[in-house]
Amino acid sequence: MITLRAFKQHDTCQIVTILNDQQVARYLSSKIPFPYTQADANWWVNEGAKCGIIKAIEVDGLCVGCIGVIPGEFEYSRSGEIGYWLSQQYWGQGIITQAIKLICKEAFDSSELNRVFATVFSGNTGSIKALTKVGFSFEAQLKQAIYKNNQFYDAIVLSLLRNHQPILN
């Protein structure tokens, strides 16, 4: 059983530990610094996590990850991008799939979003599997659209529409 909640100051040490794991950081946006410092975590808890619908993923009272939906702007204001990360020791347990369900339900229930989409590195098969389990559909494969750590990746775009939430209901 997981809980989605606001980040708390006492989560910062756990955030630093998780985000300094190269396997966790491998497919994350370069917007997230690596190595990740205590100052980065303090900024995240106090400022960064307050933009959009962003929650800590809690298991047994411990922050083990993050998930959020960031609404677009202007003509994209009814579309939001989902992103997440999870401590490696919790991979393969269905936690991120459950978190995706919960955050999408919250995003659709609490906003005027009509579409939630994900842009996933082509090698991140676990993330693609979790999204499709929840009902996200493949939209596009953008060839060599991502460049990180001297390597190109295709960007896989998947989405879930408000009126097509078979698993969320």
Side-chain angles (χ1 to χ4, degrees):
M1 182 67 178
I2 69 164
T3 302
L4 299 187
R5 60 160 173 82
F7 278 95
K8 300 174 183 172
Q9 196 61 43
H10 72 264
D11 295 328
T12 60
C13 290
Q14 187 69 6
I15 293 168
V16 170
T17 299
I18 295 168
L19 291 177
N20 277 313
D21 180 334
Q22 287 187 331
Q23 290 304 307
V24 172
R26 180 178 178 193
Y27 295 124
L28 295 181
S29 169
S30 299
K31 289 183 265 185
I32 299 172
F34 189 87
Y36 200 84
T37 67
Q38 185 66 43
D40 295 325
N42 289 336
W43 174 86
W44 177 251
V45 168
N46 295 316
E47 295 179 48
K50 298 189 182 348
C51 302
I53 304 164
I54 299 176
K55 304 289 183 180
I57 302 170
E58 182 180 284
V59 175
D60 297 327
L62 183 66
C63 173
V64 300
C66 173
I67 191 160
V69 175
I70 307 295
E73 297 180 323
F74 306 106
E75 63 272 16
Y76 297 103
S77 65
R78 297 293 182 97
S79 190
E81 184 170 16
I82 190 171
Y84 43 83
W85 45 263
L86 183 68
S87 172
Q88 189 175 178
Q89 71 186 79
Y90 292 90
W91 290 3
Q93 299 176 32
I95 290 169
I96 212 66
T97 301
Q98 189 177 359
I100 293 168
K101 287 180 194 178
L102 291 171
I103 201 75
C104 287
K105 181 167 179 12
E106 180 172 341
F108 287 129
D109 289 350
S110 69
S111 74
E112 294 185 339
L113 289 178
N114 185 58
R115 174 179 175 268
V116 173
F117 73 95
T119 305
V120 182
F121 286 61
S122 52
N124 194 348
T125 55
S127 189
I128 294 167
K129 183 178 175 183
L131 290 160
T132 54
K133 268 187 182 178
V134 173
F136 277 69
S137 299
F138 174 84
E139 284 191 350
Q141 181 169 351
L142 310 176
K143 298 289 187 180
Q144 297 185 6
I146 300 170
Y147 185 72
K148 183 177 178 187
N149 296 333
N150 299 315
Q151 184 174 349
F152 285 102
Y153 298 88
D154 292 354
I156 309 299
V157 181
L158 302 104
S159 71
L160 182 68
L161 300 179
R162 177 185 289 273
N163 62 350
H164 291 102
Q165 304 176 47
I167 309 236
L168 302 182
N169 295 327

